[in-house]
Amino acid sequence: MTKYVYFFGGGHAEGSSVMRNLLGGKGCELAEMTNLGIPVPPGFTVTTQAWAHYNRSGHEWPEELWDQTLENLHRLESVAEAGFGDPQRPLLVSVRSGARVSMPGMMETILNLGLNDTTVEGLAARTRNERFAWDCYRRFVMMFANVVLGVRREVFDAEFDAAKSRLGVNERTGRPFPEDVKEQLRLAINAVFDSWFAKKAAEYRRIHNIPEEWGTAVTVMAMVFGNLGETSGTGVGFTRDPRTGDKRFYAEFLPNAQGEDVVAGIRTPLPIEALRERMPTIYDEVLEIAGRLERHYKDMQDIEFTVQDGTLYLLQTRSGKRSARAAVKVARDLVDEHVIDQHTALLRIRPQEVNEAIRPIFDDREKAAAIDRGRLLARGLPAAPGAAVGKAVFDADRAVEWARAGEQVILVRPETSPEDVAGMYAAKGIVTSRGGRTSHAAVVAVGMGKACVVGAAEIVVDEHRRVFEVGGRIVREGDWISVDGGSGEVLLDIVKTVEGELGDEVQELLSWADRYRTEGLGVRANADTPTDAQRAREFGAEGIGLVRTEHMFFAPERIPIVREMIMAVDQTTRRAALEKLRPFQRDDFMGIFRAMDGLPVTIRLLDPPLHEFLPNHKEYKELVETRSRLEALGINPEEQARLEALIANVEKLREANPMLGHRGCRLGITHPEIYGMQVRAIMEAACTVTEQGVHVEPEIMIPLTGTVGEMKETFEQTKRVADGVIAETGVAVRYLVGTMIEVPRAALIAAQIAEHAEFFSFGTNDLTQLTYGYSRDDVAKFLPKYLDMGLVPHDPFSVLDQEGVGEMIKIGIERGRSRRPNLKIGICGEHGGEASSVEFCHRVKMTYVSCSPYLIPGARLAAAQARIKERQAGGGDYRA
Ligand code: ADP
Ligand code: MG
Ligand code: MG
């Protein structure tokens, strides 16, 4: 017989932490706490296996489940010394959802179950509190009707408000729910099972990559009441500050209230000192338990507790959501405190988090100036750090819509609920007028890494009119506001931000990471300017993996010369234009070489189609118009002829499919003078700075190679020019000539390519485009649909497709190294900074990954994690 139900209570539990997948996070930790001797109301958990059966069989329970439920219900009755449905001593329970990972508020929970017309009287009599009993009943009817019977909550809000003011109690007639408490229980368990499929839960799963088949467990436990008067109350707390990671109890308390009021952000709780003042012994007890839980779980905990008539109960513990900065600090501090080791600390932080920890912050002076100018709208509670600037929107749908259209938005709400999660995700920042630091908005925002201010009470949100009002000022939808989640300030207009920097904690953590990485992947940056190169170096880049030379062509003062070069009708004119560009390029390279003194710099020769440098639509129209005007007026024949030739040339250069057209090494082959100029500029720069004592290692990279012929031709061309410069200057500079592997054919013939290439760099943007046959510029037309339908698991342009594109890479590496065993191999596509892709690059034994400067810290960590995991799995030498 399968065991579908696990009991906890009376100091002993059948489950424990290790049964997380079966009992869900909530269920397994309630069991664990029970076994630790921590006061937890008794109850039992129905497993995710039961859910799986229910799900598979079209909502049928496994045969044994009802009997097992009843059996555990009896046990619960005897431990709780109350009877389910008993008119004198009614047992009330909560029916709680809980998946193996925490999905705060995304699924349903029903409280006060077990009340009906009879038991409510019993409850009133036992507690000698009629008002309380009816309030419980009201809450239950509402929740049950909403969650189980699908009655919209607003219907109840309106009715109850009216009824409450009339009678002081609830409406009793016409309840659409069962009087039979066992039937209530059965239906509630079903409803919690079903809540796995609620829209908000599905959205949350999508955002956080949680598999659909995990399902939820259901915990049924005795109710405890924080709303029994002044010796009762409820609280939520973190064992460390989730915004900063500081070691202090960060908690809130609300006297005479039920926990759901705090968690939902409906009422703003008091600082935890309120508990210390009112119930000092309970306060000490909470603190002691919090510390015990943290040491037991070896991580910062987020706990919920309720005090019923002077007795403390823990209702939940889980590892607490935290800001990126806090994640780093907590992990580092726990190593210092000898709670965890460095491996654990490094594996515990998501690479994305160290990137977030260096996100921009507001420029202090700019912010002070804005406040001086009267731009401060409100101060609320600083709930999640970060500087966010965006247009105000007032509902989640609008946030999603606008963000999709490329707008930056700030979601402003009275409070948030789980329905708003997609909107919160789409927004840059979140502001609520109600709720405390542990409200839904705060917890979710911290987890998502969004700047968030809660409880900004001066702000009055009018969702209907799509405005908020504050101190007589009206802010409309679409108005720009700035949100400082670190200080709690909400400002009108755009406040300037400054770039973030690596704090001491991040530095230290990354230094550990680098230690484990020495036998693994290198990390380089994609950087096109000396400033970017400098920044990359500060973030720990060990070289540059990609300098895109075309970006240097786009500068305003250069574009006319570039056009001259492109449009040149003959070699002489083209050479003359190129000669004008050479000093610019040389200066750019010198700047980058200086910034990267001692480190390798990979420079890619011109790659994009010449088409991209042509006059844009408007400029072209003007050209044609001027020509026509001159013609009509019959003046300036020379100018007419010049324009005529220009227009003809533009027409000639236009391509039907430029991405597959005249670009990359194809340009270098048809116009050798272009690459010739670039190589000369690179080598002149290298020789010049070498003479000044800078150590340079230029790596000249040919883009878009697809045939051996192309490789051989461009390799020899490059060598000729480069060696020429060395001979002229008499400065010996060691340099390499290699290629991008971004055309599938190049990966397939990598062995032959390697004969003429001294290094490879996988250009996974083009390689993905060409392997899938998806145009990067048009993919938005169908990819979102594909993602929705689950036809592809990720956007392959941001997460490397390991089975397809990855296979191409493996083949390329294997064949390339078969000819040149020590071939240096890197990746320089967008994927080089994405954690799962970095892990892949480690597995296939690349030499380095290269990514944008701001992703370098994350890449350093991801590479270290890949190595640590490999070692834990018994992997040996990194090098092939
Ligand atoms: P969620 O996953 O949405 O946080 P929970 O199952 O934790 O849902 O329930 C929401 C809130 O209901 C809890 O934070 C707690 O305050 C309250 N609650 C749940 N079970 C009980 C109980 N047995 N006694 C008192 N309050 C409870
Ligand atoms: Mg909870
Ligand atoms: Mg490319």
Side-chain angles (χ1 to χ4, degrees), residues 700 702 705 707-716 719 736-739 750-760 819-820 823:
I700 302 172
I702 313 292
T705 315
T707 71
V708 189
E710 284 171 332
M711 189 69 238
K712 186 161 184 288
E713 176 65 26
T714 46
F715 180 82
E716 283 167 4
K719 278 273 181 207
L736 299 178
V737 182
T739 184
Q752 288 120 283
I753 299 258
E755 280 178 21
H756 309 279
E758 295 166 316
F759 64 89
F760 282 180
R819 198 60 55 95
R820 212 185 264 262
L823 191 65

PDB file of all heavy atoms in Angstrom, residues 700 702 705 707-716 719 736-739 750-760 819-820 823:
ATOM      1  N   ILE A 700      44.021  38.591 -34.141  1.00  0.00           N
ATOM      2  CA  ILE A 700      43.224  39.150 -35.233  1.00  0.00           C
ATOM      3  C   ILE A 700      42.244  38.066 -35.712  1.00  0.00           C
ATOM      4  O   ILE A 700      42.641  36.946 -36.013  1.00  0.00           O
ATOM      5  CB  ILE A 700      44.128  39.624 -36.384  1.00  0.00           C
ATOM      6  CG1 ILE A 700      45.115  40.671 -35.839  1.00  0.00           C
ATOM      7  CG2 ILE A 700      43.292  40.187 -37.531  1.00  0.00           C
ATOM      8  CD1 ILE A 700      46.195  41.068 -36.831  1.00  0.00           C
ATOM      9  N   ILE A 702      39.093  36.669 -38.075  1.00  0.00           N
ATOM     10  CA  ILE A 702      38.366  36.761 -39.342  1.00  0.00           C
ATOM     11  C   ILE A 702      36.927  36.279 -39.117  1.00  0.00           C
ATOM     12  O   ILE A 702      36.731  35.156 -38.665  1.00  0.00           O
ATOM     13  CB  ILE A 702      39.017  35.845 -40.416  1.00  0.00           C
ATOM     14  CG1 ILE A 702      40.531  36.029 -40.456  1.00  0.00           C
ATOM     15  CG2 ILE A 702      38.351  36.045 -41.769  1.00  0.00           C
ATOM     16  CD1 ILE A 702      40.994  37.364 -40.950  1.00  0.00           C
ATOM     17  N   THR A 705      33.870  32.876 -41.591  1.00  0.00           N
ATOM     18  CA  THR A 705      34.528  31.937 -42.493  1.00  0.00           C
ATOM     19  C   THR A 705      33.658  30.697 -42.688  1.00  0.00           C
ATOM     20  O   THR A 705      33.072  30.206 -41.731  1.00  0.00           O
ATOM     21  CB  THR A 705      35.855  31.480 -41.852  1.00  0.00           C
ATOM     22  OG1 THR A 705      36.500  32.631 -41.337  1.00  0.00           O
ATOM     23  CG2 THR A 705      36.729  30.781 -42.852  1.00  0.00           C
ATOM     24  N   THR A 707      34.610  28.404 -45.657  1.00  0.00           N
ATOM     25  CA  THR A 707      35.353  27.456 -46.499  1.00  0.00           C
ATOM     26  C   THR A 707      36.847  27.573 -46.181  1.00  0.00           C
ATOM     27  O   THR A 707      37.310  28.608 -45.688  1.00  0.00           O
ATOM     28  CB  THR A 707      35.186  27.763 -48.006  1.00  0.00           C
ATOM     29  OG1 THR A 707      35.915  28.964 -48.307  1.00  0.00           O
ATOM     30  CG2 THR A 707      33.723  27.948 -48.389  1.00  0.00           C
ATOM     31  N   VAL A 708      37.583  26.532 -46.478  1.00  0.00           N
ATOM     32  CA  VAL A 708      39.030  26.567 -46.259  1.00  0.00           C
ATOM     33  C   VAL A 708      39.661  27.642 -47.120  1.00  0.00           C
ATOM     34  O   VAL A 708      40.587  28.339 -46.698  1.00  0.00           O
ATOM     35  CB  VAL A 708      39.687  25.224 -46.623  1.00  0.00           C
ATOM     36  CG1 VAL A 708      41.127  25.207 -46.174  1.00  0.00           C
ATOM     37  CG2 VAL A 708      38.938  24.079 -46.000  1.00  0.00           C
ATOM     38  N   GLY A 709      39.123  27.761 -48.329  1.00  0.00           N
ATOM     39  CA  GLY A 709      39.653  28.763 -49.248  1.00  0.00           C
ATOM     40  C   GLY A 709      39.602  30.149 -48.630  1.00  0.00           C
ATOM     41  O   GLY A 709      40.593  30.894 -48.647  1.00  0.00           O
ATOM     42  N   GLU A 710      38.465  30.484 -48.063  1.00  0.00           N
ATOM     43  CA  GLU A 710      38.319  31.798 -47.424  1.00  0.00           C
ATOM     44  C   GLU A 710      39.339  31.963 -46.311  1.00  0.00           C
ATOM     45  O   GLU A 710      39.957  33.013 -46.158  1.00  0.00           O
ATOM     46  CB  GLU A 710      36.911  31.940 -46.817  1.00  0.00           C
ATOM     47  CG  GLU A 710      35.812  32.193 -47.827  1.00  0.00           C
ATOM     48  CD  GLU A 710      34.412  32.110 -47.192  1.00  0.00           C
ATOM     49  OE1 GLU A 710      34.241  31.371 -46.195  1.00  0.00           O
ATOM     50  OE2 GLU A 710      33.493  32.773 -47.684  1.00  0.00           O
ATOM     51  N   MET A 711      39.481  30.915 -45.522  1.00  0.00           N
ATOM     52  CA  MET A 711      40.378  30.976 -44.368  1.00  0.00           C
ATOM     53  C   MET A 711      41.807  31.190 -44.821  1.00  0.00           C
ATOM     54  O   MET A 711      42.524  32.056 -44.317  1.00  0.00           O
ATOM     55  CB  MET A 711      40.243  29.683 -43.565  1.00  0.00           C
ATOM     56  CG  MET A 711      40.965  29.722 -42.242  1.00  0.00           C
ATOM     57  SD  MET A 711      40.180  30.858 -41.079  1.00  0.00           S
ATOM     58  CE  MET A 711      41.513  31.982 -40.726  1.00  0.00           C
ATOM     59  N   LYS A 712      42.207  30.386 -45.779  1.00  0.00           N
ATOM     60  CA  LYS A 712      43.591  30.420 -46.241  1.00  0.00           C
ATOM     61  C   LYS A 712      43.905  31.796 -46.834  1.00  0.00           C
ATOM     62  O   LYS A 712      44.903  32.420 -46.497  1.00  0.00           O
ATOM     63  CB  LYS A 712      43.769  29.322 -47.299  1.00  0.00           C
ATOM     64  CG  LYS A 712      45.171  29.125 -47.774  1.00  0.00           C
ATOM     65  CD  LYS A 712      45.315  27.739 -48.439  1.00  0.00           C
ATOM     66  CE  LYS A 712      46.742  27.461 -48.859  1.00  0.00           C
ATOM     67  NZ  LYS A 712      47.161  28.264 -50.029  1.00  0.00           N
ATOM     68  N   GLU A 713      42.994  32.258 -47.674  1.00  0.00           N
ATOM     69  CA  GLU A 713      43.196  33.545 -48.339  1.00  0.00           C
ATOM     70  C   GLU A 713      43.334  34.682 -47.317  1.00  0.00           C
ATOM     71  O   GLU A 713      44.288  35.446 -47.356  1.00  0.00           O
ATOM     72  CB  GLU A 713      42.003  33.792 -49.282  1.00  0.00           C
ATOM     73  CG  GLU A 713      41.983  35.134 -49.984  1.00  0.00           C
ATOM     74  CD  GLU A 713      43.154  35.328 -50.958  1.00  0.00           C
ATOM     75  OE1 GLU A 713      43.668  34.303 -51.458  1.00  0.00           O
ATOM     76  OE2 GLU A 713      43.555  36.483 -51.174  1.00  0.00           O
ATOM     77  N   THR A 714      42.367  34.763 -46.387  1.00  0.00           N
ATOM     78  CA  THR A 714      42.402  35.883 -45.438  1.00  0.00           C
ATOM     79  C   THR A 714      43.566  35.730 -44.451  1.00  0.00           C
ATOM     80  O   THR A 714      44.161  36.720 -44.030  1.00  0.00           O
ATOM     81  CB  THR A 714      41.085  35.995 -44.651  1.00  0.00           C
ATOM     82  OG1 THR A 714      40.710  34.705 -44.191  1.00  0.00           O
ATOM     83  CG2 THR A 714      39.979  36.552 -45.519  1.00  0.00           C
ATOM     84  N   PHE A 715      43.889  34.493 -44.096  1.00  0.00           N
ATOM     85  CA  PHE A 715      45.007  34.262 -43.188  1.00  0.00           C
ATOM     86  C   PHE A 715      46.300  34.797 -43.803  1.00  0.00           C
ATOM     87  O   PHE A 715      47.055  35.541 -43.177  1.00  0.00           O
ATOM     88  CB  PHE A 715      45.134  32.760 -42.900  1.00  0.00           C
ATOM     89  CG  PHE A 715      46.263  32.398 -41.976  1.00  0.00           C
ATOM     90  CD1 PHE A 715      46.109  32.504 -40.599  1.00  0.00           C
ATOM     91  CD2 PHE A 715      47.496  31.960 -42.473  1.00  0.00           C
ATOM     92  CE1 PHE A 715      47.154  32.178 -39.734  1.00  0.00           C
ATOM     93  CE2 PHE A 715      48.540  31.643 -41.622  1.00  0.00           C
ATOM     94  CZ  PHE A 715      48.363  31.743 -40.248  1.00  0.00           C
ATOM     95  N   GLU A 716      46.516  34.433 -45.056  1.00  0.00           N
ATOM     96  CA  GLU A 716      47.772  34.835 -45.708  1.00  0.00           C
ATOM     97  C   GLU A 716      47.833  36.335 -45.922  1.00  0.00           C
ATOM     98  O   GLU A 716      48.859  36.974 -45.661  1.00  0.00           O
ATOM     99  CB  GLU A 716      47.934  34.074 -47.036  1.00  0.00           C
ATOM    100  CG  GLU A 716      48.386  32.640 -46.765  1.00  0.00           C
ATOM    101  CD  GLU A 716      48.276  31.719 -47.973  1.00  0.00           C
ATOM    102  OE1 GLU A 716      47.910  32.218 -49.065  1.00  0.00           O
ATOM    103  OE2 GLU A 716      48.541  30.512 -47.817  1.00  0.00           O
ATOM    104  N   LYS A 719      48.596  37.956 -42.576  1.00  0.00           N
ATOM    105  CA  LYS A 719      50.004  37.747 -42.220  1.00  0.00           C
ATOM    106  C   LYS A 719      50.905  38.710 -42.989  1.00  0.00           C
ATOM    107  O   LYS A 719      51.820  39.311 -42.415  1.00  0.00           O
ATOM    108  CB  LYS A 719      50.418  36.306 -42.592  1.00  0.00           C
ATOM    109  CG  LYS A 719      50.011  35.300 -41.555  1.00  0.00           C
ATOM    110  CD  LYS A 719      51.115  35.232 -40.539  1.00  0.00           C
ATOM    111  CE  LYS A 719      50.806  34.227 -39.452  1.00  0.00           C
ATOM    112  NZ  LYS A 719      51.478  34.560 -38.201  1.00  0.00           N
ATOM    113  N   LEU A 736      48.336  36.613 -33.164  1.00  0.00           N
ATOM    114  CA  LEU A 736      47.730  35.415 -33.718  1.00  0.00           C
ATOM    115  C   LEU A 736      46.700  35.819 -34.760  1.00  0.00           C
ATOM    116  O   LEU A 736      46.135  36.906 -34.701  1.00  0.00           O
ATOM    117  CB  LEU A 736      47.016  34.608 -32.634  1.00  0.00           C
ATOM    118  CG  LEU A 736      47.843  34.070 -31.470  1.00  0.00           C
ATOM    119  CD1 LEU A 736      46.929  33.344 -30.470  1.00  0.00           C
ATOM    120  CD2 LEU A 736      48.929  33.122 -31.972  1.00  0.00           C
ATOM    121  N   VAL A 737      46.477  34.916 -35.697  1.00  0.00           N
ATOM    122  CA  VAL A 737      45.379  35.119 -36.641  1.00  0.00           C
ATOM    123  C   VAL A 737      44.459  33.913 -36.518  1.00  0.00           C
ATOM    124  O   VAL A 737      44.902  32.770 -36.640  1.00  0.00           O
ATOM    125  CB  VAL A 737      45.886  35.252 -38.092  1.00  0.00           C
ATOM    126  CG1 VAL A 737      44.710  35.515 -39.034  1.00  0.00           C
ATOM    127  CG2 VAL A 737      46.925  36.359 -38.206  1.00  0.00           C
ATOM    128  N   GLY A 738      43.207  34.181 -36.242  1.00  0.00           N
ATOM    129  CA  GLY A 738      42.259  33.080 -36.087  1.00  0.00           C
ATOM    130  C   GLY A 738      40.924  33.413 -36.709  1.00  0.00           C
ATOM    131  O   GLY A 738      40.811  34.381 -37.460  1.00  0.00           O
ATOM    132  N   THR A 739      39.917  32.659 -36.349  1.00  0.00           N
ATOM    133  CA  THR A 739      38.626  32.883 -36.992  1.00  0.00           C
ATOM    134  C   THR A 739      37.453  32.670 -36.057  1.00  0.00           C
ATOM    135  O   THR A 739      37.549  31.949 -35.067  1.00  0.00           O
ATOM    136  CB  THR A 739      38.460  31.963 -38.219  1.00  0.00           C
ATOM    137  OG1 THR A 739      37.227  32.291 -38.861  1.00  0.00           O
ATOM    138  CG2 THR A 739      38.406  30.499 -37.814  1.00  0.00           C
ATOM    139  N   ALA A 750      36.042  22.003 -39.436  1.00  0.00           N
ATOM    140  CA  ALA A 750      36.949  22.692 -38.508  1.00  0.00           C
ATOM    141  C   ALA A 750      38.382  22.161 -38.588  1.00  0.00           C
ATOM    142  O   ALA A 750      39.336  22.917 -38.364  1.00  0.00           O
ATOM    143  CB  ALA A 750      36.422  22.573 -37.084  1.00  0.00           C
ATOM    144  N   ALA A 751      38.541  20.902 -38.915  1.00  0.00           N
ATOM    145  CA  ALA A 751      39.897  20.353 -38.982  1.00  0.00           C
ATOM    146  C   ALA A 751      40.702  21.079 -40.052  1.00  0.00           C
ATOM    147  O   ALA A 751      41.835  21.515 -39.808  1.00  0.00           O
ATOM    148  CB  ALA A 751      39.846  18.857 -39.272  1.00  0.00           C
ATOM    149  N   GLN A 752      40.121  21.227 -41.220  1.00  0.00           N
ATOM    150  CA  GLN A 752      40.844  21.921 -42.291  1.00  0.00           C
ATOM    151  C   GLN A 752      41.019  23.403 -41.975  1.00  0.00           C
ATOM    152  O   GLN A 752      42.068  23.978 -42.219  1.00  0.00           O
ATOM    153  CB  GLN A 752      40.115  21.782 -43.634  1.00  0.00           C
ATOM    154  CG  GLN A 752      40.192  20.395 -44.223  1.00  0.00           C
ATOM    155  CD  GLN A 752      38.792  19.824 -44.398  1.00  0.00           C
ATOM    156  OE1 GLN A 752      38.191  19.385 -43.412  1.00  0.00           O
ATOM    157  NE2 GLN A 752      38.279  19.849 -45.616  1.00  0.00           N
ATOM    158  N   ILE A 753      39.965  23.992 -41.396  1.00  0.00           N
ATOM    159  CA  ILE A 753      40.057  25.417 -41.040  1.00  0.00           C
ATOM    160  C   ILE A 753      41.226  25.631 -40.075  1.00  0.00           C
ATOM    161  O   ILE A 753      41.981  26.592 -40.189  1.00  0.00           O
ATOM    162  CB  ILE A 753      38.747  25.896 -40.374  1.00  0.00           C
ATOM    163  CG1 ILE A 753      37.566  25.751 -41.324  1.00  0.00           C
ATOM    164  CG2 ILE A 753      38.896  27.319 -39.832  1.00  0.00           C
ATOM    165  CD1 ILE A 753      37.084  26.981 -42.014  1.00  0.00           C
ATOM    166  N   ALA A 754      41.367  24.690 -39.139  1.00  0.00           N
ATOM    167  CA  ALA A 754      42.395  24.845 -38.103  1.00  0.00           C
ATOM    168  C   ALA A 754      43.805  24.849 -38.681  1.00  0.00           C
ATOM    169  O   ALA A 754      44.756  25.294 -38.034  1.00  0.00           O
ATOM    170  CB  ALA A 754      42.251  23.742 -37.058  1.00  0.00           C
ATOM    171  N   GLU A 755      43.957  24.374 -39.886  1.00  0.00           N
ATOM    172  CA  GLU A 755      45.293  24.413 -40.497  1.00  0.00           C
ATOM    173  C   GLU A 755      45.725  25.836 -40.775  1.00  0.00           C
ATOM    174  O   GLU A 755      46.908  26.140 -40.852  1.00  0.00           O
ATOM    175  CB  GLU A 755      45.287  23.624 -41.808  1.00  0.00           C
ATOM    176  CG  GLU A 755      45.406  22.143 -41.549  1.00  0.00           C
ATOM    177  CD  GLU A 755      45.366  21.326 -42.830  1.00  0.00           C
ATOM    178  OE1 GLU A 755      45.639  21.886 -43.911  1.00  0.00           O
ATOM    179  OE2 GLU A 755      45.028  20.144 -42.727  1.00  0.00           O
ATOM    180  N   HIS A 756      44.728  26.712 -40.934  1.00  0.00           N
ATOM    181  CA  HIS A 756      45.064  28.102 -41.268  1.00  0.00           C
ATOM    182  C   HIS A 756      44.546  29.073 -40.218  1.00  0.00           C
ATOM    183  O   HIS A 756      44.423  30.255 -40.484  1.00  0.00           O
ATOM    184  CB  HIS A 756      44.474  28.474 -42.625  1.00  0.00           C
ATOM    185  CG  HIS A 756      44.798  27.487 -43.694  1.00  0.00           C
ATOM    186  ND1 HIS A 756      46.006  27.477 -44.358  1.00  0.00           N
ATOM    187  CD2 HIS A 756      44.087  26.445 -44.187  1.00  0.00           C
ATOM    188  CE1 HIS A 756      46.018  26.473 -45.230  1.00  0.00           C
ATOM    189  NE2 HIS A 756      44.866  25.831 -45.140  1.00  0.00           N
ATOM    190  N   ALA A 757      44.185  28.560 -39.080  1.00  0.00           N
ATOM    191  CA  ALA A 757      43.674  29.457 -38.033  1.00  0.00           C
ATOM    192  C   ALA A 757      44.359  29.120 -36.728  1.00  0.00           C
ATOM    193  O   ALA A 757      44.457  27.957 -36.350  1.00  0.00           O
ATOM    194  CB  ALA A 757      42.165  29.290 -37.880  1.00  0.00           C
ATOM    195  N   GLU A 758      44.829  30.142 -36.019  1.00  0.00           N
ATOM    196  CA  GLU A 758      45.574  29.892 -34.782  1.00  0.00           C
ATOM    197  C   GLU A 758      44.676  29.920 -33.551  1.00  0.00           C
ATOM    198  O   GLU A 758      45.124  29.630 -32.455  1.00  0.00           O
ATOM    199  CB  GLU A 758      46.715  30.912 -34.660  1.00  0.00           C
ATOM    200  CG  GLU A 758      47.734  30.710 -35.769  1.00  0.00           C
ATOM    201  CD  GLU A 758      48.707  31.863 -35.916  1.00  0.00           C
ATOM    202  OE1 GLU A 758      48.274  33.031 -35.876  1.00  0.00           O
ATOM    203  OE2 GLU A 758      49.909  31.604 -36.072  1.00  0.00           O
ATOM    204  N   PHE A 759      43.431  30.311 -33.721  1.00  0.00           N
ATOM    205  CA  PHE A 759      42.453  30.175 -32.639  1.00  0.00           C
ATOM    206  C   PHE A 759      41.052  30.192 -33.232  1.00  0.00           C
ATOM    207  O   PHE A 759      40.865  30.614 -34.382  1.00  0.00           O
ATOM    208  CB  PHE A 759      42.605  31.307 -31.599  1.00  0.00           C
ATOM    209  CG  PHE A 759      42.312  32.682 -32.131  1.00  0.00           C
ATOM    210  CD1 PHE A 759      41.014  33.195 -32.102  1.00  0.00           C
ATOM    211  CD2 PHE A 759      43.329  33.467 -32.681  1.00  0.00           C
ATOM    212  CE1 PHE A 759      40.745  34.464 -32.605  1.00  0.00           C
ATOM    213  CE2 PHE A 759      43.057  34.741 -33.184  1.00  0.00           C
ATOM    214  CZ  PHE A 759      41.767  35.233 -33.154  1.00  0.00           C
ATOM    215  N   PHE A 760      40.099  29.706 -32.453  1.00  0.00           N
ATOM    216  CA  PHE A 760      38.672  29.727 -32.830  1.00  0.00           C
ATOM    217  C   PHE A 760      37.901  30.554 -31.803  1.00  0.00           C
ATOM    218  O   PHE A 760      38.223  30.524 -30.614  1.00  0.00           O
ATOM    219  CB  PHE A 760      38.042  28.333 -32.752  1.00  0.00           C
ATOM    220  CG  PHE A 760      38.350  27.412 -33.900  1.00  0.00           C
ATOM    221  CD1 PHE A 760      37.809  26.116 -33.893  1.00  0.00           C
ATOM    222  CD2 PHE A 760      39.139  27.804 -34.970  1.00  0.00           C
ATOM    223  CE1 PHE A 760      38.064  25.240 -34.930  1.00  0.00           C
ATOM    224  CE2 PHE A 760      39.405  26.921 -36.021  1.00  0.00           C
ATOM    225  CZ  PHE A 760      38.863  25.624 -35.995  1.00  0.00           C
ATOM    226  N   ARG A 819      43.380  18.675 -35.336  1.00  0.00           N
ATOM    227  CA  ARG A 819      44.487  19.136 -36.176  1.00  0.00           C
ATOM    228  C   ARG A 819      45.472  19.984 -35.381  1.00  0.00           C
ATOM    229  O   ARG A 819      46.664  19.998 -35.648  1.00  0.00           O
ATOM    230  CB  ARG A 819      43.910  19.941 -37.362  1.00  0.00           C
ATOM    231  CG  ARG A 819      44.848  20.109 -38.522  1.00  0.00           C
ATOM    232  CD  ARG A 819      45.289  18.764 -39.122  1.00  0.00           C
ATOM    233  NE  ARG A 819      44.176  17.895 -39.516  1.00  0.00           N
ATOM    234  CZ  ARG A 819      43.679  17.824 -40.744  1.00  0.00           C
ATOM    235  NH1 ARG A 819      44.171  18.585 -41.699  1.00  0.00           N
ATOM    236  NH2 ARG A 819      42.693  17.003 -41.020  1.00  0.00           N
ATOM    237  N   ARG A 820      44.983  20.702 -34.414  1.00  0.00           N
ATOM    238  CA  ARG A 820      45.833  21.620 -33.644  1.00  0.00           C
ATOM    239  C   ARG A 820      45.461  21.439 -32.174  1.00  0.00           C
ATOM    240  O   ARG A 820      44.591  22.124 -31.641  1.00  0.00           O
ATOM    241  CB  ARG A 820      45.507  23.049 -34.098  1.00  0.00           C
ATOM    242  CG  ARG A 820      46.654  24.026 -34.063  1.00  0.00           C
ATOM    243  CD  ARG A 820      46.139  25.410 -34.422  1.00  0.00           C
ATOM    244  NE  ARG A 820      46.313  25.759 -35.818  1.00  0.00           N
ATOM    245  CZ  ARG A 820      47.306  26.489 -36.287  1.00  0.00           C
ATOM    246  NH1 ARG A 820      48.225  26.962 -35.475  1.00  0.00           N
ATOM    247  NH2 ARG A 820      47.391  26.773 -37.563  1.00  0.00           N
ATOM    248  N   LEU A 823      44.695  24.276 -29.678  1.00  0.00           N
ATOM    249  CA  LEU A 823      43.909  25.383 -30.226  1.00  0.00           C
ATOM    250  C   LEU A 823      43.175  26.128 -29.113  1.00  0.00           C
ATOM    251  O   LEU A 823      42.448  25.531 -28.320  1.00  0.00           O
ATOM    252  CB  LEU A 823      42.899  24.806 -31.227  1.00  0.00           C
ATOM    253  CG  LEU A 823      42.153  25.791 -32.114  1.00  0.00           C
ATOM    254  CD1 LEU A 823      43.115  26.498 -33.065  1.00  0.00           C
ATOM    255  CD2 LEU A 823      41.083  25.052 -32.926  1.00  0.00           C
TER     256      LEU A 823
END
